[in-house]
């Protein structure tokens, strides 16, 4: 369902495709830099010290989140300049795409690239060797990983809307909320293999972020409430 965001809302618009690909590229660069720093830290430390290696893993995850949000801010600045250029080139003095639409497409770009890497890692693990759950561990690894990938794609989409809105209106607490939610969801992954401890809070945060993004995008609380009650 998450990858359907591209097919139904972006694929027919060339400008949106360009913005999405650029957003995916920004996320990819942030991952490359954070991975490089984590790799250097691991190689420079004692591989026999399990406590240190776990600490470096936690540091790597948290640093990656902060770097992703820093690149999201850089991408917002780039798109803001792009809007000014589009307005200057247009005949009617209007941009062909709004900042709200850019925020959505950029968020989908971040999410799709994040989901693609999650799927690649998952498929690499599926090649073996070994069988999931053979030593009595949970056999739901692949299923829960798929659900976690989906929630991250949606969350990146909603975070893009919230983050850009915060930047546009200088509401820094909205940006801080996005960073905190991102850190929380990433930190919940350390609860695994207790998958309920990571999936349930992540989906609750996704629901809250979705409602918040909907309201910031111009939706009404009344319509949201009617949707939750399944009323026409």
């Amino acid at each position: 369902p998450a990858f359907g965001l591209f097919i139904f809302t972006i694929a027919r618009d060339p400008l949106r495709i360009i913005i999405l690909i650029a957003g995916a590229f920004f996320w990819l660069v942030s991952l490359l830099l954070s991975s490089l720093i984590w790799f250097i830290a691991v190689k420079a430390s004692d591989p026999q010290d399990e406590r240190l290696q776990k600490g470096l893993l936690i540091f790597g995850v948290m640093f990656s989140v902060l770097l992703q949000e820093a690149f999201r801010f850089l991408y917002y600045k780039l798109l803001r300049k792009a809007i000014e250029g589009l307005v200057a080139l247009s005949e009617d003095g209007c941009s062909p795409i709004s900042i709200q639409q850019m925020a959505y497409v950029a968020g989908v770009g971040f999410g799709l690239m994040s989901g693609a890497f999650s799927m690649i890692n998952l498929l690499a693990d599926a090649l073996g060797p070994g069988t999931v759950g053979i030593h009595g561990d949970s056999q739901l690894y692949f299923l829960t990983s798929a659900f976690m990938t989906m929630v991250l794609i949606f969350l990146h989409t909603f975070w893009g809307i919230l983050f850009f809105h915060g930047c546009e209106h200088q509401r820094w607490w909205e940006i801080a909320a996005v960073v905190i939610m991102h850190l929380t969801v990433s930190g919940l992954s350390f609860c695994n293999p207790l998958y309920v401890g990571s999936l349930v809070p992540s989906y609750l945060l996704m629901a809250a972020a979705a409602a918040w993004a909907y309201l910031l995008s111009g939706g009404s609380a009344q319509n949201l409430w009617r949707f939750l009650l399944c009323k026409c």
Side-chain angles (χ1 to χ4, degrees):
F3 287 97
L5 292 174
F6 170 76
I7 298 174
F8 294 111
T9 63
I10 298 173
R12 295 184 179 181
D13 191 328
L15 182 58
R16 293 186 182 186
I17 293 176
I18 293 173
I19 295 173
L20 180 139
I21 293 175
F25 174 76
F26 268 71
W27 185 91
L28 191 61
V29 173
S30 70
L31 178 67
L32 176 63
L33 292 178
S34 59
S35 300
L36 180 62
I37 293 175
W38 176 78
F39 178 79
I40 294 174
V42 169
K43 290 299 182 181
S45 61
D46 183 8
Q48 304 299 326
D49 191 339
E50 295 184 2
R51 186 174 181 180
L52 176 61
Q53 294 302 316
K54 184 177 181 179
L56 288 176
L57 179 61
I58 296 174
F59 162 77
V61 170
M62 300 298 109
F63 180 78
S64 178
V65 168
L66 296 177
L67 199 58
Q68 287 177 46
E69 297 306 328
F71 270 79
R72 199 193 302 272
F73 179 74
L74 292 176
Y75 193 41
Y76 162 77
K77 287 293 188 181
L78 178 64
L79 290 178
R80 207 70 190 82
K81 292 292 184 182
I83 287 181
E84 296 175 3
L86 291 172
V87 170
L89 293 174
S90 64
E91 296 179 355
D92 56 0
C94 297
S95 172
I97 185 170
S98 65
I99 189 66
Q100 292 85 0
Q101 293 172 331
M102 283 187 171
Y104 166 76
V105 177
V108 175
F110 270 63
L112 288 181
M113 184 56 68
S114 173
F117 263 80
S118 297
M119 287 184 61
I120 291 173
N121 291 332
L122 188 64
L123 292 174
D125 290 337
L127 293 176
T131 302
V132 175
I134 194 172
H135 294 297
D137 297 325
S138 174
Q139 297 183 6
L140 301 178
Y141 169 71
F142 294 112
L143 182 62
T144 53
S145 296
F147 276 103
M148 197 65 188
T149 298
M150 184 176 69
V151 76
L152 281 175
I153 294 175
F154 281 124
L155 277 172
H156 271 293
T157 303
F158 303 140
W159 287 338
I161 297 172
L162 299 176
F163 194 97
F164 277 44
H165 185 273
C167 293
E168 192 71 9
H169 296 86
Q170 295 185 349
R171 295 181 180 179
W172 308 118
W173 60 272
E174 291 181 351
I175 298 175
V178 170
V179 175
I180 291 173
M181 282 191 288
H182 199 168
L183 288 170
T184 301
V185 173
S186 298
L188 287 171
S189 62
F190 292 106
C191 294
N192 296 332
L194 182 61
Y195 298 119
V196 176
S198 60
L199 280 177
V200 173
S202 296
Y203 271 84
L204 291 176
L205 280 175
M206 184 191 70
W212 191 2
Y214 172 76
L215 295 175
L216 291 183
S217 299
S220 67
Q222 181 180 2
N223 289 339
L224 179 61
W225 183 247
R226 290 174 64 88
F227 168 75
L228 294 174
L229 295 179
C230 299
K231 293 183 178 179
C232 298

